[in-house]
Structure formats: C-alpha cells, structure tokens
Amino acid sequence: MPKLVTFLLRHAALGFVIACVAFTLMMIANFANLRTLIMESEVGLLALCLLTFFLALTLASVQMGIAVIMLKDDGRGRDIRRGS
C-alpha cells in the first residue's frame, strides 16, 4: 500500500479513536443533558449510533487534515522528517 494511503488511514483511525473517547466522556459527564435525552428517547439507539458515527467522521477528517498540513516538504516531494 502506498505510504500516503497508509499515512492517511493511520491518522483517520487516530481521529476515530479521539472521537470515541470524546463521545464517551460527553456521555459520562451528561454534557448538555445529552445522555438523558438519548436514554429517554424511543430511538435512543439510533441517535447514539448516528451521533457517534458523524462525530467520528468529523474528527477523523480533521485529524487527517491537520496531519497533511503539518507535513514538512523540502520542495522535491520528500518528507524532511523521515528522510524519504
């Protein structure tokens, strides 16, 4: 697999993990009564799944964007930090 694809997948997975941790903390802290709303709703499981998925999608995309922006380039298409 090309290095760039591996790089992006690794950072997308990191963003997904960050989102899952953030969502878990939001549910534990009952942020904005979110846990109460989800637990008392008829479609609580659907709301939980959709909120988790879209938060993870957003934070994975943000993490990938930050990783790409922070890449250092020497002008010849090679990463200076890795020497490749």
Side-chain angles (χ1 to χ4, degrees):
M1 190 174 291
K3 285 184 180 181
L4 182 59
V5 174
T6 305
F7 174 79
L8 290 175
L9 287 175
R10 184 174 57 238
H11 283 283
L14 178 63
F16 185 82
V17 168
I18 292 170
C20 289
V21 169
F23 185 71
T24 301
L25 292 174
M26 284 172 42
M27 293 302 285
I28 290 171
N30 200 16
F31 179 74
N33 270 341
L34 188 60
R35 182 181 61 203
T36 306
L37 287 171
I38 290 174
M39 294 301 175
E40 293 179 359
S41 175
E42 293 177 2
V43 290
L45 183 60
L46 178 64
L48 186 71
C49 292
L50 287 175
L51 188 58
T52 303
F53 174 75
F54 285 113
L55 181 65
L57 181 66
T58 302
L59 290 183
S61 300
V62 168
Q63 175 61 32
M64 285 172 43
I66 289 171
V68 168
I69 288 172
M70 299 215 29
L71 275 176
K72 294 182 181 177
D73 188 33
D74 66 355
R76 294 180 291 181
R78 296 189 307 208
D79 188 359
I80 295 172
R81 291 179 293 175
R82 295 192 183 119
S84 54

